[in-house]
Amino acid sequence: MKFFLIAGAINAMISVAAGAFGAHGLEGKLNDHYMSVWEKAAMYQMYHALGLIIIGVLKHPSLLGNITQLNWAGWLLFAGIILFSGSLYVLALTQIGVLGAITPLGGVAFIIGWLMLAIGAAKHLG
């Protein structure tokens, strides 16, 4: 519970900082395409940071508790942030196209993470 709440809050903070850095520090330094890549990285990091916070709250014993599906969901969202957003940040800064091959792995982690959250909720709330 504690880890996902903290990881979510830290990732939300990093997302806001990255968005501000992109808007102010990278303005005029990246072309429109790579600026869009940077913004997408920050946006998806924020969405999934909020997901981590939700998972942390749901792990409270009075809600779903420490169920396996929530643990998987949290770790997959966390991994997805690193792989998806991380690879896009590096891609935008370096413009090394091969880094884009890592991004879909993060996307798959996001999808499976949300699926695990749905399965956990269906099994333990229904």
Side-chain angles (χ1 to χ4, degrees):
M1 178 176 152
K2 181 178 175 181
F3 175 80
F4 294 126
L5 287 170
I6 293 169
I10 289 171
N11 272 284
M13 176 196 69
I14 292 169
S15 173
V16 171
F21 178 70
H24 303 291
L26 296 177
E27 186 178 23
K29 293 182 174 76
L30 297 179
N31 65 31
D32 288 344
H33 170 72
Y34 287 110
M35 208 51 205
S36 173
V37 168
W38 185 273
E39 291 167 355
K40 187 167 287 170
M43 180 177 63
Y44 274 76
Q45 184 174 9
M46 179 58 79
Y47 291 156
H48 293 87
L50 295 173
L52 287 173
I53 292 168
I54 290 167
I55 289 167
V57 169
L58 288 173
K59 286 176 62 73
H60 190 275
S62 66
L63 296 171
L64 291 178
N66 192 26
I67 63 171
T68 301
Q69 293 86 359
L70 281 183
N71 288 325
W72 274 105
W75 286 111
L76 285 163
L77 293 188
F78 186 69
I81 289 170
I82 293 167
L83 294 171
F84 186 91
S85 294
S87 67
L88 290 181
Y89 288 134
V90 174
L91 172 63
L93 292 175
T94 66
Q95 300 177 15
I96 298 172
V98 72
L99 292 171
I102 298 169
T103 308
L105 298 174
V108 169
F110 285 154
I111 292 166
I112 297 171
W114 288 112
L115 177 62
M116 293 305 292
L117 177 57
I119 290 169
K123 279 179 69 173
H124 297 282
L125 291 176

